[in-house]
């Protein structure tokens, strides 16, 4: 498990994104299953990467890798739950961007960074772990709000230009997207406030 690198799951997510984009222009059922397979393989490698290392969310690298992991779960769940929608076209670029950002940060050495993760049980380490955990969860809410906002703007534009149904991207209704955005911001703002406090 120590041989898994950030390139392993980043490449799997990139192939899944390419298959999702190909699905838009040349829809085939096998491409959808392949995209889900590559995303599942990427999520498995991503999970093993997180489990093989001591999780230090205090570093930029590990917090961004963990955020990308949560969003990849969000992508996989959304792609399975909303089979006919272009879900991955919106979520996978964020996952890939976070993965590339983590690669630019570089993995911190284990001696220099404090190992504040799941094992913090008391004292100052517990407060730092709570602080960082709340900020990471707030970042998830902000990312989900961003995805739903972009989908909302595209869907509103399609309705404004009176695009025929069944052409272009298949998206959720405006009401569902607005509800998803409202819930994401409603959860993100208190988490961000509590994390900062």
């Amino acid at each position: 498990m120590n041989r898994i690198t950030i390139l392993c799951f980043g490449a799997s997510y990139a192939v899944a994104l390419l298959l999702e984009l190909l699905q838009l222009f040349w829809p085939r059922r096998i491409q959808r299953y392949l995209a889900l397979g590559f995303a599942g393989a990427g999520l498995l490698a991503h999970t093993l990467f997180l489990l093989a290392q001591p999780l230090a969310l205090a570093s930029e690298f590990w917090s961004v890798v963990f955020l990308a992991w949560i969003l990849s779960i969000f992508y996989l769940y959304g792609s399975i739950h909303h089979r006919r929608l272009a879900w991955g076209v919106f979520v996978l670029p964020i996952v890939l961007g976070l993965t590339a950002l983590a690669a630019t940060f570089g993995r911190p050495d284990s001696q220099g960074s404090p190992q504040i993760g799941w094992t913090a049980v008391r004292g100052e380490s517990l407060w730092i772990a709570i602080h960082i955990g709340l900020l990471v969860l707030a970042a998830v809410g902000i990312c989900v709000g961003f995805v739903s906002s972009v989908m909302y703007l595209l869907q509103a534009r399609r309705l404004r230009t009176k695009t025929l149904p069944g052409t272009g991207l298949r998206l959720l209704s405006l009401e569902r997207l607005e509800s998803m955005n409202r819930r994401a911001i409603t959860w993100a703002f208190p988490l961000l406030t509590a994390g900062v406090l």
Side-chain angles (χ1 to χ4, degrees):
M1 287 200 310
N2 289 331
R3 291 184 177 176
I4 297 174
T5 63
I6 203 164
L7 182 65
C8 295
F9 54 88
S12 295
Y13 294 144
V15 171
L17 177 61
L18 290 175
L19 288 168
E20 290 275 354
L21 290 171
L22 185 63
Q23 182 72 11
L24 291 177
F25 302 109
W26 192 49
R28 296 287 180 261
R29 183 174 288 185
I30 188 71
Q31 288 169 187
R32 185 177 183 290
Y33 292 135
L34 283 172
L36 287 174
F38 274 102
L43 181 62
L44 177 65
H46 203 154
T47 305
L48 292 174
F49 180 77
L50 286 172
L51 291 176
Q53 319 294 329
L55 187 64
L57 289 178
S59 72
E60 295 91 2
F61 176 82
W62 288 111
S63 59
V64 170
V65 167
F66 188 67
L67 177 61
W69 180 73
I70 292 174
L71 289 175
S72 64
I73 293 172
F74 176 69
Y75 157 71
L76 215 56
Y77 169 77
S79 291
I80 293 170
H81 187 67
H82 305 290
R83 290 186 304 252
R84 299 180 185 265
L85 303 178
W87 194 261
V89 175
F90 297 97
V91 181
L92 280 176
I94 295 174
V95 172
L96 282 172
L98 289 171
T99 304
L101 183 64
T104 58
F105 284 146
R107 186 186 307 189
D109 58 346
S110 58
Q111 290 82 16
S113 64
Q115 301 299 317
I116 300 165
W118 307 119
T119 59
V121 290
R122 63 179 133 72
E124 190 174 320
S125 297
L126 176 66
W127 287 111
I128 292 173
I130 290 172
H131 163 72
I132 292 168
L134 289 172
L135 291 178
V136 168
L137 290 175
V140 169
I142 290 169
C143 289
V144 170
F146 173 74
V147 167
S148 62
S149 297
V150 171
M151 292 172 87
Y152 183 93
L153 290 174
L154 285 176
Q155 185 73 310
R157 183 177 184 278
R158 289 179 63 198
L159 292 174
R160 203 173 34 246
T161 59
K162 298 180 181 168
T163 305
L164 293 173
T167 59
L169 293 172
R170 291 185 179 196
L171 302 172
L172 294 170
S173 68
L174 288 178
E175 293 82 16
R176 297 264 318 262
L177 291 171
E178 181 184 0
S179 172
M180 189 165 85
N181 189 358
R182 187 179 325 112
R183 276 184 269 145
I185 298 302
T186 301
W187 281 100
F189 183 71
L191 288 170
L192 184 63
T193 304
V196 169
L197 289 177

